[in-house]
């Protein structure tokens, strides 16, 4: 028998109480006269209805904390069955799995969304709203979350350490907010992560070397922040990485040669930092490289001959550095360049004959 303790639950919506009491009588009746398996099925259905009621109540509590206009937008949010509300999807058992409210102009904070009530939530999509305040540490309670998108809002404060509890997370987007503080080292625990978007914030401090442990990472966007220190060598372990953006930060030191191990890399954006040293020869190992943007740094030395092996290259921007020496003749091998800019350098201009017009 299932305990009936839920009867005292204060989470039941007033309007659903009579219906539930009827259901209880019904179950109590049949559990006496029918085989226990039938009673269990009914009891499971009943438990699910109660869970859905808790989820509905938690969502309504959040709705009521948003501004009036947002409450109008969410006017379909009414009653005790959230599964047919705008932006909400449920599993077959009627438990909320997806909250998809991108581009809804919702205004308010997340502090009244009680994350303890969504044991089955896999997606929380709140892209491009007018949400503000901090990201609550209780977000770590969403134990099944795979997709979290808080981008294009006005969130501030730090990235909560509890985010590392979201072990199923595949997609984490917090870009285009006002997030400050450092990127927690604990982010390296999100082993399922394939998309990490933290760009256009006010993040400071070093890039944690633990990011090198995120072996499923495909897109890593950390650009347009205030990150400093050097690029950790461990990032070379990211062999699935397709796009790597560290542009417009305050990074110093040299480009680690381990980047040559990122064999899937197509886009490498390191422009507008304070990087020094020479361009590592190992970059020539990145056969899929399509855009290499290293402009506006303090890079020295000559352009490595290995660049000539990057036959897929479309865009090579090296201007505003302190490079010197001849331009490698192998660059002639790259036949479908769209944009090749080396200007504002100290390079000896002995470009392969028909390439001079590529210079900006
Ligand atoms: C929002 O609605 C409440 C109740 O209807 C009202 O008292 C309040 O003034 C409204 N606030 C704004 C900002 O319109
Ligand atoms: C929001 O709108 C933009 C621009 O129309 C669109 O590209 C984006 O996919 C939308 N996002 C969501 C989550 O609906
Ligand atoms: C969320 O719900 C839990 C369980 O009922 C409760 O203990 C907690 O105080 C609630 N938190 C907030 C912020 O409402
Ligand atoms: C819910 O979110 C997951 C994870 O992003 C996604 O794969 C799935 O298609 C979504 N389901 C619905 C019904 O939107
Ligand atoms: C970030 O904060 C600044 C000042 O506090 C504000 O002017 C700006 O609009 C905020 N940006 C976002 C995306 O909320
Ligand atoms: C990567 O994970 C391993 C195993 O959990 C751990 O020992 C190591 O310290 C991590 N590396 C970084 C750079 O965090
Ligand atoms: C690239 O990976 C290999 C094999 O994992 C390793 O031995 C080597 O040190 C790495 N190269 C760099 C430059 O980090
Ligand atoms: C070059 O990078 C610095 C930061 O290192 C930035 O302040 C400056 O605006 C950048 N210049 C251009 C032309 O983007
Ligand atoms: C280009 O690649 C070939 C084949 O992998 C290699 O033998 C050669 O040394 C590379 N050239 C340069 C300049 O790195
Ligand atoms: C340029 O291409 C030629 C012919 O395919 C090849 O022999 C040479 O090694 C290439 N040069 C570089 C620097 O990769
Ligand atoms: C440039 O030179 C290469 C080899 O020297 C040749 O194949 C190509 O057609 C030339 N391109 C133009 C635009 O003249
Ligand atoms: C049930 C559960 O996981 N509760 C946790 C929710 O998040 C807060 C803040 O991280 C924790 O203190 C709770 O234990």
């Amino acid at each position: 028998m299932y305990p009936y303790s839920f009867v005292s639950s204060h989470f039941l919506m007033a309007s659903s109480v009579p219906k539930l009491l009827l259901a209880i009588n019904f179950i109590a009746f049949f559990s006496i006269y029918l085989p226990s398996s039938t009673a269990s099925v009914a009891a499971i259905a009943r438990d699910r209805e109660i869970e859905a009621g808790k989820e509905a109540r938690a969502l309504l509590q959040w709705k009521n904390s948003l501004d009036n206009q947002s409450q109008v937008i969410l006017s379909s949010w009414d009653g005790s069955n959230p599964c047919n509300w705008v932006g909400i999807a449920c599993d077959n058992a009627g438990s909320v799995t997806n909250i998809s409210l991108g581009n809804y102009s919702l205004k308010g904070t997340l502090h009244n969304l009680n994350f303890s009530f969504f044991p089955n939530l896999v997606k929380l999509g709140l892209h491009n709203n007018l949400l503000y305040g901090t990201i609550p540490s209780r977000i770590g309670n969403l134990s099944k979350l795979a997709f979290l998108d808080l981008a294009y809002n006005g969130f501030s404060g730090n990235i909560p350490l509890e985010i590392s509890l979201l072990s199923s997370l595949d997609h984490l987007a917090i870009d285009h907010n006002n997030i400050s503080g450092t990127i927690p080292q604990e982010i390296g625990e999100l082993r399922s992560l394939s998309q990490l978007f933290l760009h256009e914030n006010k993040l400071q401090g070093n890039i944690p070397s633990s990011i090198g442990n995120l072996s499923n990472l495909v897109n890593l966007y950390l650009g347009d922040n205030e990150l400093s220190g050097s690029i950790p060598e461990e990032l070379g372990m990211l062999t699935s990485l397709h796009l790597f953006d560290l542009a417009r930060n305050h990074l110093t030191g040299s480009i680690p040669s381990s980047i040559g191990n990122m064999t899937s890399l197509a886009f490498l954006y390191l422009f507008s930092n304070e990087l020094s040293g020479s361009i590592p020869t190992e970059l020539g190992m990145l056969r899929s490289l399509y855009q290499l943007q290293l402009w506006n740094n303090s890079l020295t030395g000559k352009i490595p001959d290995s660049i000539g092996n990057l036959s897929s290259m479309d865009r090579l921007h090296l201007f505003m550095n302190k490079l010197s020496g001849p331009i490698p003749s192998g660059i002639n091998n790259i036949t479908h360049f769209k944009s090749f800019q080396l200007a504002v350098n100290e390079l000896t201009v002995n470009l392969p004959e028909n390439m001079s017009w590529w210079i900006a």
Side-chain angles (χ1 to χ4, degrees):
M1 286 293 287
Y2 281 76
Y4 285 155
S5 59
F6 65 88
V7 172
S8 65
S9 168
H10 54 283
F11 295 118
L12 298 179
M13 300 296 297
S15 63
S16 62
V17 167
K19 196 172 82 191
L20 271 158
L21 287 177
L22 266 179
I24 292 156
N25 291 333
F26 181 82
I27 293 157
F29 176 80
F30 280 102
S31 50
I32 296 165
Y33 296 103
L34 289 180
S36 62
S37 64
T38 313
S40 300
V41 168
I44 288 165
R46 183 200 66 224
D47 285 351
R48 281 171 184 166
E49 191 174 346
I50 286 158
E51 286 307 315
K54 285 186 189 173
E55 289 171 342
R57 197 182 135 92
L59 288 170
L60 290 174
Q61 185 183 34
W62 182 53
K63 174 191 169 183
N64 291 334
S65 76
L66 301 175
D67 80 337
N68 291 359
Q69 185 58 34
S70 305
Q71 294 186 31
V72 172
I73 293 165
L74 299 179
S75 57
S76 69
W77 288 26
D78 189 26
S80 59
N81 176 18
C83 301
N84 50 21
W85 294 356
V86 70
I88 304 295
C90 296
D91 59 18
N92 290 336
S95 182
V96 173
T97 57
N98 296 33
I99 300 179
S100 308
L101 293 168
N103 297 335
Y104 274 80
S105 303
L106 301 177
K107 190 171 190 177
T109 73
L110 291 181
H111 295 291
N112 291 293
L113 182 54
N114 194 332
F115 296 118
S116 303
F117 290 113
F118 301 97
N120 297 309
L121 197 69
V122 295
K123 174 176 177 178
L124 179 58
L126 297 171
H127 179 96
N128 192 25
N129 282 290
L130 302 165
L131 300 168
Y132 58 92
T134 57
I135 301 172
S137 55
R138 286 174 298 103
I139 204 148
N141 293 58
L142 298 172
S143 56
K144 286 192 186 161
L145 204 65
F147 183 102
L148 175 60
D149 189 351
L150 303 177
Y152 288 90
N153 279 288
F155 288 112
S156 55
N158 295 356
I159 299 174
L161 296 185
E162 290 78 1
I163 212 143
S164 64
L165 298 172
L166 304 176
S167 56
S168 302
L169 210 56
D170 165 76
H171 183 114
L172 174 58
I174 320 182
D175 54 285
H176 294 89
N177 279 289
N178 261 342
I179 303 293
S180 54
T182 58
I183 303 174
Q185 181 79 19
E186 289 82 352
I187 207 157
E189 287 162 28
L190 298 175
R191 300 300 173 96
S192 304
L193 215 53
S194 75
Q195 312 292 334
L196 180 55
F197 303 103
L198 299 179
H199 54 295
E200 298 252 5
N201 276 297
K202 292 181 177 152
L203 292 166
Q204 293 179 330
N206 293 347
I207 298 170
S209 55
S210 62
I211 289 183
N213 268 340
L214 301 177
S215 55
N216 295 311
L217 217 48
V218 174
N219 288 307
L220 175 57
Y221 285 75
L222 302 177
D224 288 281
N225 276 296
E226 295 161 16
L227 298 169
S228 56
S230 56
I231 302 173
E233 191 182 303
E234 289 83 350
L235 298 190
M237 302 190 302
L238 299 174
T239 51
S240 302
L241 204 62
H242 177 73
L243 190 150
F244 186 25
D245 173 23
L246 294 178
R248 297 199 187 93
N249 279 293
H250 305 301
L251 299 170
T252 53
S254 54
I255 301 173
S257 56
S258 62
I259 284 188
N261 274 351
M262 293 180 164
T263 47
S264 306
L265 205 61
F267 298 87
L268 179 56
Y269 299 146
L270 302 179
F271 61 89
S272 293
N273 278 291
E274 291 145 38
L275 297 169
S276 55
S278 57
I279 300 175
T281 304
E282 287 81 355
L283 286 191
M285 290 158 59
L286 302 175
R287 296 309 175 88
S288 306
L289 205 60
Y290 188 67
Q291 293 194 6
L292 177 58
Q293 301 215 20
L294 306 179
W295 57 278
N296 193 17
N297 277 292
S298 300
L299 300 170
T300 53
K302 70 187 274 282
I303 301 174
D305 289 341
S306 61
I307 293 278
N309 265 346
L310 300 176
S311 53
S312 309
M313 189 91 82
D314 165 82
R315 202 159 293 189
L316 174 61
H317 289 181
L318 303 178
F319 56 97
M320 294 173 74
N321 275 298
K322 294 172 185 162
L323 299 165
S324 58
I327 290 166
S329 60
I331 276 182
N332 242 353
N333 283 11
I334 308 174
T335 49
H336 54 270
F337 257 148
K338 279 216 193 72
S339 175
F340 173 78
Q341 299 177 342
L342 300 170
V344 200
N345 264 320
E346 293 155 18
L347 289 170
T348 314
V349 180
N350 62 343
L351 279 179
E353 275 181 44
N354 65 10
M355 292 204 71
S356 3
W357 62 280
W358 290 109
I359 300 265

